Amino acid sequence: MKEGPREKPLGLDMPFDEAFARFLGTDPKEVSENIERGKQKRGPPKQPPPVDDESPD
């Protein structure tokens, strides 16, 4: 399980069925374009810290 602080839940100001219908109607090409645009603004993603392979005794 993931450790650390939990993310705040996504708050939507609409009913679930409307949000789900909008999600299903999203064009995958549009989503990938927005992801690429976001990467250009923020730069490369942060790398996670290295993990020690040694287990505690």
Side-chain angles (χ1 to χ4, degrees):
M1 185 169 208
K2 188 169 98 172
E3 294 183 16
R6 296 179 69 181
E7 292 184 20
K8 292 182 180 179
L10 177 64
L12 297 176
D13 195 19
M14 66 178 71
F16 175 79
D17 56 343
E18 182 181 349
F20 191 62
R22 287 182 178 210
F23 173 76
L24 292 177
T26 304
D27 180 16
K29 182 179 177 185
E30 182 180 316
V31 173
S32 62
E33 288 172 357
N34 285 335
I35 291 171
E36 289 301 317
R37 192 176 322 134
K39 286 180 182 178
Q40 291 172 356
K41 286 183 181 179
R42 287 184 249 132
K46 294 180 182 177
Q47 295 296 321
V51 178
D52 290 336
D53 289 337
E54 298 178 22
S55 60
D57 290 37

Short mmCIF file of all heavy atoms in Angstrom, two decimals:
data_model
loop_
_atom_site.label_atom_id
_atom_site.label_comp_id
_atom_site.label_asym_id
_atom_site.label_seq_id
_atom_site.Cartn_x
_atom_site.Cartn_y
_atom_site.Cartn_z
N MET A 1 0.84 -1.18 0.00
CA MET A 1 0.00 0.00 0.00
C MET A 1 0.88 1.24 0.00
O MET A 1 1.96 1.26 0.57
CB MET A 1 -0.92 -0.03 1.21
CG MET A 1 -1.90 1.07 1.24
SD MET A 1 -3.11 0.74 2.53
CE MET A 1 -4.46 1.60 1.84
N LYS A 2 0.40 2.29 -0.61
CA LYS A 2 1.14 3.54 -0.73
C LYS A 2 1.21 4.24 0.62
O LYS A 2 0.21 4.37 1.32
CB LYS A 2 0.44 4.43 -1.76
CG LYS A 2 1.21 5.66 -2.12
CD LYS A 2 0.59 6.33 -3.32
CE LYS A 2 -0.30 7.45 -2.89
NZ LYS A 2 -0.80 8.26 -3.97
N GLU A 3 2.41 4.68 0.98
CA GLU A 3 2.58 5.39 2.24
C GLU A 3 2.67 6.88 1.98
O GLU A 3 2.90 7.31 0.87
CB GLU A 3 3.84 4.90 2.95
CG GLU A 3 3.76 3.47 3.41
CD GLU A 3 5.00 3.04 4.17
OE1 GLU A 3 5.77 3.89 4.60
OE2 GLU A 3 5.17 1.82 4.32
N GLY A 4 2.53 7.67 3.02
CA GLY A 4 2.63 9.11 2.90
C GLY A 4 1.26 9.76 3.00
O GLY A 4 0.24 9.09 3.19
N PRO A 5 1.24 11.06 2.85
CA PRO A 5 -0.04 11.76 2.98
C PRO A 5 -0.99 11.39 1.84
O PRO A 5 -0.59 11.17 0.71
CB PRO A 5 0.35 13.23 2.91
CG PRO A 5 1.67 13.26 2.24
CD PRO A 5 2.33 11.97 2.56
N ARG A 6 -2.27 11.31 2.17
CA ARG A 6 -3.28 10.98 1.17
C ARG A 6 -3.66 12.22 0.38
O ARG A 6 -3.67 13.33 0.91
CB ARG A 6 -4.52 10.43 1.85
CG ARG A 6 -4.26 9.12 2.57
CD ARG A 6 -5.48 8.61 3.24
NE ARG A 6 -6.43 8.19 2.22
CZ ARG A 6 -7.62 7.71 2.47
NH1 ARG A 6 -8.03 7.60 3.70
NH2 ARG A 6 -8.42 7.34 1.50
N GLU A 7 -3.98 12.03 -0.87
CA GLU A 7 -4.46 13.13 -1.69
C GLU A 7 -5.88 13.46 -1.30
O GLU A 7 -6.64 12.58 -0.89
CB GLU A 7 -4.42 12.75 -3.17
CG GLU A 7 -3.04 12.57 -3.73
CD GLU A 7 -3.08 12.28 -5.21
OE1 GLU A 7 -4.10 12.56 -5.87
OE2 GLU A 7 -2.09 11.74 -5.71
N LYS A 8 -6.26 14.73 -1.45
CA LYS A 8 -7.63 15.11 -1.19
C LYS A 8 -8.51 14.50 -2.28
O LYS A 8 -8.10 14.40 -3.43
CB LYS A 8 -7.78 16.63 -1.21
CG LYS A 8 -7.07 17.32 -0.07
CD LYS A 8 -7.30 18.80 -0.12
CE LYS A 8 -6.60 19.50 1.02
NZ LYS A 8 -6.80 20.96 0.98
N PRO A 9 -9.74 14.09 -1.93
CA PRO A 9 -10.62 13.52 -2.95
C PRO A 9 -11.01 14.58 -3.97
O PRO A 9 -11.07 15.77 -3.67
CB PRO A 9 -11.84 13.05 -2.16
CG PRO A 9 -11.75 13.69 -0.83
CD PRO A 9 -10.32 14.09 -0.61
N LEU A 10 -11.24 14.13 -5.18
CA LEU A 10 -11.64 15.03 -6.25
C LEU A 10 -13.06 15.50 -5.98
O LEU A 10 -13.98 14.70 -5.83
CB LEU A 10 -11.58 14.29 -7.60
CG LEU A 10 -12.02 15.08 -8.81
CD1 LEU A 10 -11.09 16.26 -9.04
CD2 LEU A 10 -12.05 14.18 -10.03
N GLY A 11 -13.25 16.81 -5.92
CA GLY A 11 -14.56 17.37 -5.68
C GLY A 11 -15.22 17.77 -6.99
O GLY A 11 -14.66 18.52 -7.76
N LEU A 12 -16.39 17.25 -7.26
CA LEU A 12 -17.13 17.60 -8.46
C LEU A 12 -18.42 18.29 -8.06
O LEU A 12 -19.10 17.86 -7.13
CB LEU A 12 -17.46 16.36 -9.28
CG LEU A 12 -16.28 15.57 -9.83
CD1 LEU A 12 -16.77 14.32 -10.54
CD2 LEU A 12 -15.49 16.42 -10.79
N ASP A 13 -18.75 19.33 -8.79
CA ASP A 13 -19.97 20.07 -8.50
C ASP A 13 -21.06 19.64 -9.48
O ASP A 13 -21.70 20.47 -10.12
CB ASP A 13 -19.70 21.57 -8.60
CG ASP A 13 -20.80 22.40 -7.98
OD1 ASP A 13 -21.56 21.86 -7.17
OD2 ASP A 13 -20.88 23.60 -8.30
N MET A 14 -21.22 18.31 -9.62
CA MET A 14 -22.26 17.76 -10.49
C MET A 14 -22.54 16.34 -10.03
O MET A 14 -21.72 15.72 -9.37
CB MET A 14 -21.82 17.78 -11.96
CG MET A 14 -20.65 16.88 -12.29
SD MET A 14 -20.19 16.88 -14.02
CE MET A 14 -19.47 18.49 -14.21
N PRO A 15 -23.70 15.83 -10.40
CA PRO A 15 -24.03 14.45 -10.02
C PRO A 15 -23.08 13.44 -10.68
O PRO A 15 -22.52 13.70 -11.74
CB PRO A 15 -25.45 14.25 -10.53
CG PRO A 15 -25.96 15.60 -10.88
CD PRO A 15 -24.78 16.48 -11.09
N PHE A 16 -22.93 12.29 -10.03
CA PHE A 16 -22.02 11.26 -10.53
C PHE A 16 -22.37 10.84 -11.95
O PHE A 16 -21.49 10.71 -12.80
CB PHE A 16 -22.05 10.03 -9.60
CG PHE A 16 -21.23 8.90 -10.14
CD1 PHE A 16 -19.86 8.90 -10.01
CD2 PHE A 16 -21.84 7.84 -10.80
CE1 PHE A 16 -19.09 7.86 -10.52
CE2 PHE A 16 -21.08 6.80 -11.31
CZ PHE A 16 -19.71 6.81 -11.18
N ASP A 17 -23.66 10.62 -12.24
CA ASP A 17 -24.04 10.13 -13.57
C ASP A 17 -23.69 11.12 -14.67
O ASP A 17 -23.25 10.74 -15.75
CB ASP A 17 -25.51 9.74 -13.63
CG ASP A 17 -26.46 10.85 -13.23
OD1 ASP A 17 -26.00 11.83 -12.60
OD2 ASP A 17 -27.66 10.74 -13.55
N GLU A 18 -23.80 12.42 -14.39
CA GLU A 18 -23.42 13.43 -15.38
C GLU A 18 -21.89 13.44 -15.57
O GLU A 18 -21.40 13.50 -16.70
CB GLU A 18 -23.89 14.81 -14.95
CG GLU A 18 -23.55 15.89 -15.96
CD GLU A 18 -23.99 17.28 -15.53
OE1 GLU A 18 -24.75 17.40 -14.54
OE2 GLU A 18 -23.57 18.25 -16.18
N ALA A 19 -21.15 13.37 -14.49
CA ALA A 19 -19.68 13.35 -14.57
C ALA A 19 -19.22 12.11 -15.33
O ALA A 19 -18.32 12.18 -16.18
CB ALA A 19 -19.07 13.37 -13.17
N PHE A 20 -19.84 10.96 -15.06
CA PHE A 20 -19.47 9.73 -15.73
C PHE A 20 -19.79 9.78 -17.22
O PHE A 20 -19.00 9.35 -18.05
CB PHE A 20 -20.18 8.54 -15.07
CG PHE A 20 -19.68 7.20 -15.51
CD1 PHE A 20 -18.36 6.84 -15.28
CD2 PHE A 20 -20.52 6.31 -16.14
CE1 PHE A 20 -17.89 5.60 -15.69
CE2 PHE A 20 -20.05 5.07 -16.55
CZ PHE A 20 -18.74 4.72 -16.33
N ALA A 21 -20.92 10.36 -17.58
CA ALA A 21 -21.29 10.50 -18.99
C ALA A 21 -20.30 11.41 -19.71
O ALA A 21 -19.91 11.13 -20.85
CB ALA A 21 -22.71 11.05 -19.11
N ARG A 22 -19.88 12.48 -19.08
CA ARG A 22 -18.88 13.36 -19.68
C ARG A 22 -17.55 12.64 -19.85
O ARG A 22 -16.87 12.80 -20.85
CB ARG A 22 -18.68 14.61 -18.84
CG ARG A 22 -19.84 15.57 -18.91
CD ARG A 22 -19.53 16.80 -18.10
NE ARG A 22 -20.59 17.76 -18.18
CZ ARG A 22 -20.41 19.06 -18.08
NH1 ARG A 22 -19.20 19.54 -17.87
NH2 ARG A 22 -21.42 19.89 -18.17
N PHE A 23 -17.17 11.86 -18.85
CA PHE A 23 -15.93 11.09 -18.92
C PHE A 23 -15.97 10.11 -20.10
O PHE A 23 -15.01 10.00 -20.86
CB PHE A 23 -15.73 10.33 -17.61
CG PHE A 23 -14.58 9.37 -17.63
CD1 PHE A 23 -13.28 9.82 -17.54
CD2 PHE A 23 -14.80 8.01 -17.75
CE1 PHE A 23 -12.21 8.94 -17.58
CE2 PHE A 23 -13.75 7.11 -17.78
CZ PHE A 23 -12.46 7.59 -17.69
N LEU A 24 -17.08 9.42 -20.27
CA LEU A 24 -17.21 8.46 -21.36
C LEU A 24 -17.21 9.14 -22.73
O LEU A 24 -16.79 8.56 -23.72
CB LEU A 24 -18.48 7.62 -21.20
CG LEU A 24 -18.49 6.65 -20.03
CD1 LEU A 24 -19.83 5.95 -19.93
CD2 LEU A 24 -17.37 5.65 -20.15
N GLY A 25 -17.68 10.38 -22.79
CA GLY A 25 -17.75 11.09 -24.05
C GLY A 25 -16.48 11.82 -24.43
O GLY A 25 -16.43 12.48 -25.46
N THR A 26 -15.44 11.70 -23.62
CA THR A 26 -14.19 12.40 -23.89
C THR A 26 -13.44 11.74 -25.04
O THR A 26 -13.32 10.53 -25.11
CB THR A 26 -13.29 12.39 -22.64
OG1 THR A 26 -14.02 12.96 -21.56
CG2 THR A 26 -12.03 13.19 -22.85
N ASP A 27 -12.94 12.56 -25.95
CA ASP A 27 -12.15 12.07 -27.09
C ASP A 27 -10.74 11.73 -26.60
O ASP A 27 -10.05 12.59 -26.06
CB ASP A 27 -12.09 13.15 -28.16
CG ASP A 27 -11.31 12.75 -29.39
OD1 ASP A 27 -11.06 11.55 -29.57
OD2 ASP A 27 -10.97 13.64 -30.19
N PRO A 28 -10.28 10.47 -26.76
CA PRO A 28 -8.94 10.09 -26.29
C PRO A 28 -7.82 10.96 -26.89
O PRO A 28 -6.82 11.22 -26.23
CB PRO A 28 -8.79 8.64 -26.75
CG PRO A 28 -10.19 8.14 -26.89
CD PRO A 28 -11.00 9.33 -27.32
N LYS A 29 -7.98 11.42 -28.11
CA LYS A 29 -6.96 12.27 -28.73
C LYS A 29 -6.84 13.59 -27.96
O LYS A 29 -5.75 14.09 -27.72
CB LYS A 29 -7.32 12.55 -30.18
CG LYS A 29 -6.29 13.37 -30.90
CD LYS A 29 -6.67 13.60 -32.34
CE LYS A 29 -5.63 14.49 -33.01
NZ LYS A 29 -6.02 14.84 -34.37
N GLU A 30 -7.97 14.13 -27.54
CA GLU A 30 -7.98 15.37 -26.78
C GLU A 30 -7.26 15.19 -25.43
O GLU A 30 -6.52 16.06 -24.98
CB GLU A 30 -9.42 15.82 -26.54
CG GLU A 30 -9.57 17.13 -25.81
CD GLU A 30 -11.03 17.48 -25.62
OE1 GLU A 30 -11.81 17.34 -26.57
OE2 GLU A 30 -11.36 17.92 -24.51
N VAL A 31 -7.47 14.05 -24.80
CA VAL A 31 -6.83 13.77 -23.51
C VAL A 31 -5.32 13.71 -23.68
O VAL A 31 -4.57 14.33 -22.91
CB VAL A 31 -7.37 12.46 -22.91
CG1 VAL A 31 -6.60 12.07 -21.66
CG2 VAL A 31 -8.85 12.59 -22.61
N SER A 32 -4.84 12.99 -24.70
CA SER A 32 -3.40 12.87 -24.89
C SER A 32 -2.77 14.22 -25.23
O SER A 32 -1.65 14.51 -24.81
CB SER A 32 -3.08 11.82 -25.96
OG SER A 32 -3.60 12.20 -27.20
N GLU A 33 -3.49 15.06 -25.97
CA GLU A 33 -2.96 16.40 -26.27
C GLU A 33 -2.82 17.22 -25.00
O GLU A 33 -1.83 17.93 -24.82
CB GLU A 33 -3.89 17.12 -27.26
CG GLU A 33 -3.84 16.56 -28.66
CD GLU A 33 -4.89 17.17 -29.58
OE1 GLU A 33 -5.71 17.99 -29.09
OE2 GLU A 33 -4.91 16.81 -30.77
N ASN A 34 -3.80 17.14 -24.11
CA ASN A 34 -3.73 17.88 -22.85
C ASN A 34 -2.62 17.36 -21.96
O ASN A 34 -1.97 18.14 -21.25
CB ASN A 34 -5.07 17.83 -22.12
CG ASN A 34 -6.10 18.73 -22.74
OD1 ASN A 34 -5.76 19.71 -23.40
ND2 ASN A 34 -7.36 18.39 -22.56
N ILE A 35 -2.38 16.07 -21.97
CA ILE A 35 -1.29 15.50 -21.18
C ILE A 35 0.04 16.03 -21.69
O ILE A 35 0.90 16.45 -20.90
CB ILE A 35 -1.33 13.96 -21.21
CG1 ILE A 35 -2.54 13.46 -20.44
CG2 ILE A 35 -0.05 13.37 -20.65
CD1 ILE A 35 -2.79 11.98 -20.57
N GLU A 36 0.23 16.03 -23.00
CA GLU A 36 1.48 16.54 -23.59
C GLU A 36 1.66 18.02 -23.26
O GLU A 36 2.75 18.46 -22.94
CB GLU A 36 1.50 16.30 -25.10
CG GLU A 36 1.68 14.86 -25.48
CD GLU A 36 2.95 14.26 -24.93
OE1 GLU A 36 4.01 14.92 -24.97
OE2 GLU A 36 2.90 13.12 -24.44
N ARG A 37 0.60 18.78 -23.35
CA ARG A 37 0.67 20.21 -23.04
C ARG A 37 1.06 20.42 -21.58
O ARG A 37 1.86 21.30 -21.26
CB ARG A 37 -0.68 20.87 -23.33
CG ARG A 37 -0.61 22.38 -23.31
CD ARG A 37 -1.90 23.07 -23.67
NE ARG A 37 -2.63 22.41 -24.74
CZ ARG A 37 -3.94 22.17 -24.70
NH1 ARG A 37 -4.65 22.51 -23.65
NH2 ARG A 37 -4.55 21.57 -25.71
N GLY A 38 0.53 19.59 -20.69
CA GLY A 38 0.88 19.68 -19.28
C GLY A 38 2.32 19.33 -19.01
O GLY A 38 2.98 19.92 -18.17
N LYS A 39 2.86 18.36 -19.73
CA LYS A 39 4.27 17.98 -19.58
C LYS A 39 5.17 19.12 -20.01
O LYS A 39 6.22 19.37 -19.41
CB LYS A 39 4.59 16.74 -20.40
CG LYS A 39 4.04 15.47 -19.82
CD LYS A 39 4.41 14.29 -20.69
CE LYS A 39 3.83 13.00 -20.18
NZ LYS A 39 4.15 11.87 -21.07
N GLN A 40 4.79 19.84 -21.05
CA GLN A 40 5.60 20.95 -21.53
C GLN A 40 5.63 22.07 -20.50
O GLN A 40 6.65 22.71 -20.29
CB GLN A 40 5.05 21.48 -22.86
CG GLN A 40 5.24 20.52 -24.01
CD GLN A 40 4.51 20.97 -25.26
OE1 GLN A 40 3.80 21.96 -25.25
NE2 GLN A 40 4.70 20.22 -26.34
N LYS A 41 4.52 22.31 -19.81
CA LYS A 41 4.45 23.37 -18.81
C LYS A 41 5.25 23.01 -17.56
O LYS A 41 5.95 23.83 -17.00
CB LYS A 41 3.00 23.63 -18.40
CG LYS A 41 2.20 24.36 -19.44
CD LYS A 41 0.80 24.62 -18.92
CE LYS A 41 -0.04 25.32 -19.95
NZ LYS A 41 -1.40 25.56 -19.46
N ARG A 42 5.14 21.77 -17.11
CA ARG A 42 5.75 21.36 -15.84
C ARG A 42 7.12 20.74 -15.98
O ARG A 42 7.82 20.62 -15.00
CB ARG A 42 4.84 20.35 -15.15
CG ARG A 42 3.60 20.98 -14.58
CD ARG A 42 2.79 19.98 -13.81
NE ARG A 42 1.58 19.74 -14.58
CZ ARG A 42 1.09 18.57 -14.87
NH1 ARG A 42 1.64 17.50 -14.44
NH2 ARG A 42 0.00 18.45 -15.59
N GLY A 43 7.49 20.32 -17.16
CA GLY A 43 8.77 19.64 -17.32
C GLY A 43 8.62 18.16 -17.06
O GLY A 43 7.52 17.64 -16.88
N PRO A 44 9.72 17.46 -17.00
CA PRO A 44 9.66 16.00 -16.79
C PRO A 44 9.15 15.68 -15.39
O PRO A 44 9.33 16.45 -14.45
CB PRO A 44 11.10 15.55 -16.97
CG PRO A 44 11.92 16.75 -16.74
CD PRO A 44 11.08 17.93 -17.14
N PRO A 45 8.52 14.51 -15.21
CA PRO A 45 8.02 14.12 -13.88
C PRO A 45 9.18 13.87 -12.93
O PRO A 45 10.27 13.50 -13.33
CB PRO A 45 7.23 12.85 -14.15
CG PRO A 45 7.72 12.34 -15.44
CD PRO A 45 8.23 13.52 -16.22
N LYS A 46 8.91 14.09 -11.64
CA LYS A 46 9.93 13.85 -10.62
C LYS A 46 10.17 12.36 -10.49
O LYS A 46 9.25 11.56 -10.55
CB LYS A 46 9.48 14.41 -9.27
CG LYS A 46 9.37 15.91 -9.26
CD LYS A 46 8.92 16.38 -7.89
CE LYS A 46 8.76 17.88 -7.88
NZ LYS A 46 8.27 18.35 -6.59
N GLN A 47 11.41 11.98 -10.28
CA GLN A 47 11.76 10.59 -10.09
C GLN A 47 11.57 10.22 -8.62
O GLN A 47 11.91 11.01 -7.73
CB GLN A 47 13.21 10.32 -10.51
CG GLN A 47 13.46 10.54 -11.98
CD GLN A 47 12.68 9.56 -12.83
OE1 GLN A 47 12.54 8.41 -12.49
NE2 GLN A 47 12.15 10.05 -13.94
N PRO A 48 11.05 9.04 -8.33
CA PRO A 48 10.90 8.64 -6.93
C PRO A 48 12.26 8.41 -6.30
O PRO A 48 13.24 8.12 -7.00
CB PRO A 48 10.11 7.33 -7.02
CG PRO A 48 10.32 6.84 -8.40
CD PRO A 48 10.57 8.04 -9.26
N PRO A 49 12.36 8.54 -4.98
CA PRO A 49 13.65 8.31 -4.31
C PRO A 49 14.07 6.86 -4.46
O PRO A 49 13.22 5.96 -4.57
CB PRO A 49 13.37 8.67 -2.86
CG PRO A 49 11.89 8.56 -2.70
CD PRO A 49 11.31 8.88 -4.04
N PRO A 50 15.37 6.60 -4.45
CA PRO A 50 15.82 5.20 -4.58
C PRO A 50 15.38 4.38 -3.37
O PRO A 50 15.23 4.88 -2.27
CB PRO A 50 17.35 5.32 -4.63
CG PRO A 50 17.66 6.68 -4.11
CD PRO A 50 16.46 7.54 -4.33
N VAL A 51 15.16 3.10 -3.62
CA VAL A 51 14.71 2.19 -2.56
C VAL A 51 15.86 1.28 -2.16
O VAL A 51 16.54 0.71 -3.00
CB VAL A 51 13.53 1.33 -3.08
CG1 VAL A 51 13.07 0.35 -2.02
CG2 VAL A 51 12.39 2.22 -3.53
N ASP A 52 16.09 1.16 -0.84
CA ASP A 52 17.10 0.24 -0.33
C ASP A 52 16.58 -1.18 -0.47
O ASP A 52 15.44 -1.47 -0.14
CB ASP A 52 17.42 0.51 1.14
CG ASP A 52 18.18 1.82 1.33
OD1 ASP A 52 18.83 2.24 0.35
OD2 ASP A 52 18.13 2.37 2.41
N ASP A 53 17.43 -2.07 -0.97
CA ASP A 53 17.05 -3.46 -1.13
C ASP A 53 17.23 -4.26 0.16
O ASP A 53 16.77 -5.38 0.27
CB ASP A 53 17.84 -4.12 -2.25
CG ASP A 53 17.43 -3.61 -3.62
OD1 ASP A 53 16.29 -3.11 -3.74
OD2 ASP A 53 18.22 -3.69 -4.56
N GLU A 54 17.91 -3.66 1.12
CA GLU A 54 18.15 -4.36 2.38
C GLU A 54 16.89 -4.36 3.22
O GLU A 54 16.24 -3.33 3.38
CB GLU A 54 19.27 -3.69 3.15
CG GLU A 54 20.61 -3.70 2.42
CD GLU A 54 21.66 -2.97 3.22
OE1 GLU A 54 21.51 -2.82 4.44
OE2 GLU A 54 22.64 -2.55 2.61
N SER A 55 16.53 -5.51 3.76
CA SER A 55 15.35 -5.57 4.63
C SER A 55 15.81 -5.46 6.08
O SER A 55 16.89 -5.93 6.44
CB SER A 55 14.61 -6.89 4.42
OG SER A 55 15.45 -7.97 4.71
N PRO A 56 15.02 -4.82 6.92
CA PRO A 56 15.39 -4.68 8.33
C PRO A 56 15.38 -6.04 9.03
O PRO A 56 14.54 -6.87 8.77
CB PRO A 56 14.34 -3.76 8.94
CG PRO A 56 13.20 -3.79 7.99
CD PRO A 56 13.75 -4.19 6.64
N ASP A 57 16.33 -6.27 9.91
CA ASP A 57 16.42 -7.55 10.62
C ASP A 57 15.77 -7.46 11.96
O ASP A 57 15.72 -6.57 12.64
CB ASP A 57 17.88 -7.98 10.79
CG ASP A 57 18.47 -8.37 9.42
OD1 ASP A 57 18.15 -7.75 8.42
OD2 ASP A 57 19.26 -9.29 9.42
#
